[in-house]
Amino acid sequence: MARRLQEVEGISAAMESASRHDTRGVSPLSYPFNIPDATFLSSNNPQNATRSSTPDVLRKNQAGEPGPGTHNTDQDADVTRPAAASPSPPAAPPETSVGQHRARALRIGAQISELSNLLPSQPCSEQELRALRHNLLHLATILKNDLSLLRPSSPQETLGLEEVLGSFDFLSHDINADEDASCLGTLRKPGSFLELDGAWLTSGNDGLDQALEIHLDICCILLQRMRATRFSPSRQELLQELSLQAEALQRVSHLLLEKNKISSTDILPQVQRTREVLLFWEACVSGSSSSPFLCDADSFCATLRKCFTHKVEAKQPGQAEKVFSRLLGQLQAPCRTVPDLRPVCCPDSVTLFQLSAYLRRWGVQDLGAHITRLSKEERILSALRSPKRRRTLNTLRGQLVAELLPLGCTLQTLAALQVDANHKVSRAACKCLCRAAGVQTFRNKAVIYFTESLKSDDIQTQQGSCLALKCLKATESVDHITEMCRATDGALRSAARETVLSFGKRGFQAFQRMEQLHIAVEEAVYINQETEITVL
């Protein structure tokens, strides 16, 4: 033991001497081994005889050779300087944890269960609702049973896959055929989806699950509004939106069964796979999303600025930002004409489903041309809110009205101008809407918007909507306007009566029915009170 201690002391002395004579000496702390252990190995183990002892290593360092654990300072400078100058790559999006993925799978199951409760349990006449229920059950079956994992990877597995999917042949039947009534009855059983409540439903792709969650929430919003409206044109508009969602569900179901890897191109219909749309969406998801099926809203707007700023006919500073913000809001809206719908569950994200539905909704063939059209309406909207609003109202006629989409905010502004404090402005707004009644596309959307706006809690909005329906001669909305004739606000009540009576015989009959109903209700209340007094 004493001999070993002497060896260690000798090593330490040699190291101190070497460090004094060479400023480039290395501290013993930089070595990856313990000095006494290394000494014992070199002295006691014959197999380690070829190893250099610590003094030998130090002597090599004095000669200019780098020792273990050390590097040449000049070489480090040459290597590290370019690395510091090079730009750092963008941070990768955070990966979804297992807990988040499970929570999302549970939410998808709950959403499908809620949709099954919102859909009518009895056979219905609307083809769109039948298609939605059909495709919803098909998708739920695939997600619950992991049928997407049963895709054949070789021809030998095809027969086995066909046998597995044989039990789901009823899902491919034509739901429009009369002979499928029994099949539809099975799909409409109230218990068909009950087992999905609390079940984990996942496609195996977290990005696709996120997009499906938003997509299913849109279906819930549309169905909830359908149950709350009695206006036939509004129901038809909501059914058209639901048909777009049903087609997307059907496309996803088929892709999950047919493809090992689903791309963004597969999600889009063939007519939308233009070079412009594909390059735009690729720029949206690159660098900001780990999934090709959705991106964040900020990245979407940034890509719009990068690709389509030159398409905005901006005459005022900041107008391009307003156009892109308006486009984002319209794209995330569940419906284009029915107002006051609740926002989707994830307003900070934009999915490929939403982009596809937006392009179908407005019949967009050229996205750049559509943005130019949107910028024109944004410019008109800004003028309607400016001191020059009367001049703008007088110029809105003919082709200029036909080129309007129109947006909900544009219709809301026109309705509000009818009750403007300046009587000249209010008269100009009424004349503008009377002229616009001759443009059928404008009138159809405006009638739906103003009729649904009668349900608003804002009295001024209700009053403006009544007057707008009068200018549009919307006799189909007479029953809904008649309900405003009993409003507590005098101005609203007067506007509703004026509108109803302007519809001629049909309006007068509706007004009489409303009066008779009101009298019957008052008599029933009086009789009940008299009976109560008699009993007491």
Side-chain angles (χ1 to χ4, degrees):
M1 178 63 69
R3 182 179 178 182
R4 290 180 178 177
L5 291 175
Q6 291 175 358
E7 291 178 356
V8 173
E9 291 175 357
I11 293 171
S12 301
M15 292 174 61
E16 292 177 1
S17 175
S19 62
R20 284 194 299 267
H21 288 82
D22 189 358
T23 57
R24 292 183 301 175
V26 183
S27 170
L29 296 177
S30 64
Y31 287 90
F33 50 81
N34 188 278
I35 295 174
D37 293 340
T39 306
F40 297 154
L41 287 172
S42 62
S43 60
N44 298 332
N45 192 349
Q47 296 179 356
N48 296 326
T50 58
R51 285 189 180 181
S52 300
S53 63
T54 304
D56 295 334
V57 173
L58 290 174
R59 282 192 292 270
K60 292 179 181 179
N61 287 341
Q62 292 175 3
E65 298 179 9
T70 62
H71 302 281
N72 187 285
T73 307
D74 296 334
Q75 291 179 355
D76 284 348
D78 294 339
V79 173
T80 56
R81 275 196 295 266
S86 60
S88 58
E95 296 183 358
T96 306
S97 65
V98 176
Q100 291 174 332
H101 186 72
R102 290 178 177 176
R104 183 172 294 110
L106 286 173
R107 288 197 298 269
I108 291 176
Q111 284 177 322
I112 293 181
S113 180
E114 181 182 0
L115 283 172
S116 69
N117 295 329
L118 291 173
L119 287 167
S121 57
Q122 301 299 325
C124 56
S125 58
E126 288 92 347
Q127 176 184 348
E128 293 83 1
L129 294 181
R130 298 201 306 269
L132 178 62
R133 189 175 186 88
H134 169 86
N135 294 327
L136 189 65
L137 179 58
H138 192 189
L139 177 64
T141 305
I142 294 172
L143 298 180
K144 183 179 180 182
N145 295 280
D146 290 332
L147 295 182
S148 60
L149 303 178
L150 299 177
R151 289 182 297 267
S153 58
S154 63
Q156 290 77 10
E157 298 179 7
T158 304
L159 180 60
L161 175 62
E162 292 176 353
E163 293 177 355
V164 172
L165 298 180
S167 58
F168 302 103
D169 285 342
F170 71 94
L171 294 173
S172 61
H173 291 173
D174 184 7
I175 62 174
N176 299 322
D178 295 336
E179 57 270 15
D180 284 342
S182 60
C183 173
L184 288 174
T186 304
L187 292 178
R188 292 189 184 93
K189 287 182 180 179
S192 298
F193 289 94
L194 290 181
E195 65 274 10
L196 297 179
D197 194 8
W200 291 3
L201 300 184
T202 176
S203 64
N205 185 313
D206 188 65
L208 184 57
D209 284 352
Q210 293 181 54
L212 281 175
E213 183 182 1
I214 298 175
H215 171 65
L216 293 172
D217 188 53
I218 293 175
C219 294
C220 290
I221 294 172
L222 295 173
L223 285 174
Q224 288 168 356
R225 190 54 179 264
M226 274 198 64
R227 299 182 70 173
T229 184
R230 297 179 290 105
F231 189 47
S232 179
S234 297
R235 288 182 60 87
Q236 191 60 37
E237 182 73 16
L238 293 169
L239 285 173
Q240 290 179 4
E241 295 289 346
L242 281 171
S243 68
L244 298 179
Q245 310 302 326
E247 290 176 7
L249 284 176
Q250 183 182 29
R251 194 156 56 247
V252 171
S253 299
H254 289 170
L255 290 172
L256 285 173
L257 291 177
E258 295 173 0
K259 286 184 173 285
N260 292 319
K261 184 178 181 181
I262 303 176
S263 66
S264 57
T265 307
D266 298 325
I267 296 295
L268 292 173
Q270 186 67 37
V271 69
Q272 294 179 355
R273 297 176 190 175
T274 62
R275 184 174 182 272
E276 180 186 45
V277 173
L278 293 177
L279 290 177
F280 169 73
W281 184 253
E282 182 180 355
C284 288
V285 298
S286 61
S288 65
S289 175
S290 58
S291 170
F293 307 112
L294 78 163
C295 67
D296 58 87
D298 292 337
S299 175
F300 184 82
C301 290
T303 308
L304 283 174
R305 286 192 295 269
K306 179 181 178 181
C307 299
F308 295 108
T309 299
H310 64 286
K311 293 290 185 178
V312 178
E313 297 181 356
K315 294 187 177 180
Q316 296 177 357
Q319 188 172 350
E321 292 297 327
K322 292 181 181 179
V323 172
F324 297 144
S325 177
R326 191 79 64 190
L327 176 60
L328 175 63
Q330 289 294 314
L331 186 140
Q332 292 181 323
C335 185
R336 62 179 177 178
T337 53
V338 178
D340 300 328
L341 296 175
R342 70 170 177 85
V344 295
C345 58
C346 299
D348 295 333
S349 299
V350 177
T351 71
L352 188 57
F353 298 113
Q354 290 174 312
L355 177 61
S356 177
Y358 181 83
L359 298 177
R360 286 281 303 276
R361 181 186 300 160
W362 294 105
V364 177
Q365 300 292 334
D366 185 344
L367 186 56
H370 177 74
I371 291 176
T372 301
R373 181 183 178 186
L374 187 63
S375 67
K376 291 180 180 178
E377 182 159 347
E378 183 65 32
R379 189 172 65 250
I380 293 173
L381 181 60
S382 299
L384 289 174
R385 294 173 175 174
S386 70
K388 298 180 180 180
R389 56 189 182 277
R390 181 187 171 194
R391 181 187 303 176
T392 305
L393 288 168
N394 291 331
T395 58
L396 271 178
R397 58 182 70 236
Q399 185 63 27
L400 194 57
V401 174
E403 290 178 355
L404 296 176
L405 290 175
L407 299 175
C409 51
T410 304
L411 296 173
Q412 183 181 10
T413 302
L414 289 173
L417 289 175
Q418 294 178 110
V419 292
D420 193 271
N422 188 328
H423 295 293
K424 293 182 179 180
V425 172
S426 61
R427 285 197 298 269
C430 292
K431 291 180 180 179
C432 176
L433 284 170
C434 289
R435 293 192 301 267
V439 182
Q440 194 64 30
T441 55
F442 179 93
R443 183 187 183 278
N444 292 341
K445 297 182 180 69
V447 167
I448 294 174
Y449 182 87
F450 291 132
T451 304
E452 292 296 326
S453 295
L454 295 174
K455 302 175 183 177
S456 174
D457 296 330
D458 184 68
I459 294 178
Q460 188 174 5
T461 299
Q462 292 176 316
Q463 183 181 353
S465 298
C466 282
L467 296 176
L469 291 170
K470 172 190 172 183
C471 296
L472 296 173
K473 298 180 175 60
T475 56
E476 59 266 46
S477 305
V478 63
D479 293 332
H480 301 272
I481 302 172
T482 304
E483 296 176 0
M484 301 290 104
C485 294
R486 292 294 174 182
T488 56
D489 183 79
L492 175 58
R493 188 167 58 248
S494 175
R497 290 182 179 180
E498 178 185 347
T499 301
V500 170
L501 295 178
S502 69
F503 293 154
K505 182 178 180 180
R506 184 173 180 178
F508 181 73
Q509 291 175 349
F511 188 79
Q512 280 187 326
R513 287 196 304 269
M514 184 269 299
E515 289 290 341
Q516 292 173 359
L517 180 62
H518 181 70
I519 293 173
V521 171
E522 287 184 343
E523 289 179 352
V525 172
Y526 177 77
I527 292 173
N528 290 337
Q529 290 177 349
E530 189 176 35
T531 303
E532 184 179 355
I533 293 173
T534 303
V535 171
L536 292 176

